[in-house]
Amino acid sequence: MEQRTIAFIGSGNMAEAIFSGMLASDYDKNRIIAANRGRERLEYIRNKYGIQITQNNHEATEKADVVVMSVKPQMMEEVCTALTDIDFSSKLVISIAAGVTSQRIASLLNSDIALVRVMPNTPSLLNRGMSGLFANENVSENDKQYAQQLLKSVGEICWTEQETGINSITGISGSGPAYFFLFMEAIQQEAQRQGFDSETARMLVQQTALGAAEMVVNNPDLNISTLRERVTSKGGTTAAALSTFNAHALNDIVSKAIQSAVSRAEEMEKLF
Ligand SMILES: NC(=O)c1ccc[n+]([C@@H]2O[C@H](COP(=O)([O-])OP(=O)(O)OC[C@H]3O[C@@H](n4cnc5c(N)ncnc54)[C@H](OP(=O)(O)O)[C@@H]3O)[C@@H](O)[C@H]2O)c1
């Protein structure tokens, strides 16, 4: 991966996931700066990763070729407006703040910035992330490659041509882990009703979910529907369960749920 000096403005969970992924991909630790409000968190980061640390966002941003905005969305205004005197013309800004549009960030920084907006998800903490990326018109091909490599260090990536695609990605993979958790919880609860203790019920569901996900990943040439059909014998137990799901229109429920998440993402863009 190309070695540029990169500063994380806000060094919480998601920033840590990304820089730990970068370090695992042999990124030069001397070129990573973690900026954070709390000192204790920075000491932990220095001890664990040996990267540069600072409580001074301004100094970190000035030094960096790439600035990752990784504070909570509600902090973006305060953090960005303190950086407006910095010349961003030769810097790449990468924002992972949910619900803050590229236009909004450019207006907060008072600059015509090159910006890649990213929607990661929580499994990035385990290098199993799924990130959606959108580049504004000022981002070069080289910058796109850099941003792509950065997020690939914690999982898979998907570019969207239009910024509205970030809201769709939020509703699909951003919020997606919770959909699977909900489904797994429901199976675990029923397993307990069938007489298993909660630990055994959890093992039954987690291993099944993992196995199903691995089957999808390991069979890229098979449609997911084919995998389903292959385990569904006519008149069998799986067919009985699936017909109950269909009778309750599971597909419609999923579709409506994702649409609700996308609408909420659109509303949230107006808040920050
Ligand atoms: N976690 C996810 O799954 C996920 C998914 C998609 C997008 N995101 C986005 O990722 C961003 C970070 O989320 P997170 O989960 O990593 O949150 P987090 O763990 O709370 O991290 C935010 C960090 O920012 C620091 N901070 C707050 N104000 C600051 C300031 N003025 N200057 C410097 N640092 C400051 C906080 O430090 P203190 O604790 O000292 O205040 C904290 O360490 C958010 O914008 C979120 O929307 C997260």
Side-chain angles (χ1 to χ4, degrees), residues 168-183:
S168 300
I169 287 169
T170 304
I172 300 164
S173 54
S175 302
Y179 311 159
F180 288 97
F181 296 150
L182 180 69
F183 199 69

Side-chain angles (χ1 to χ4, degrees), residues 159-173:
W159 283 100
T160 164
E161 287 296 316
Q162 305 296 325
E163 188 161 2
T164 51
I166 288 289
N167 290 334
S168 300
I169 287 169
T170 304
I172 300 164
S173 54

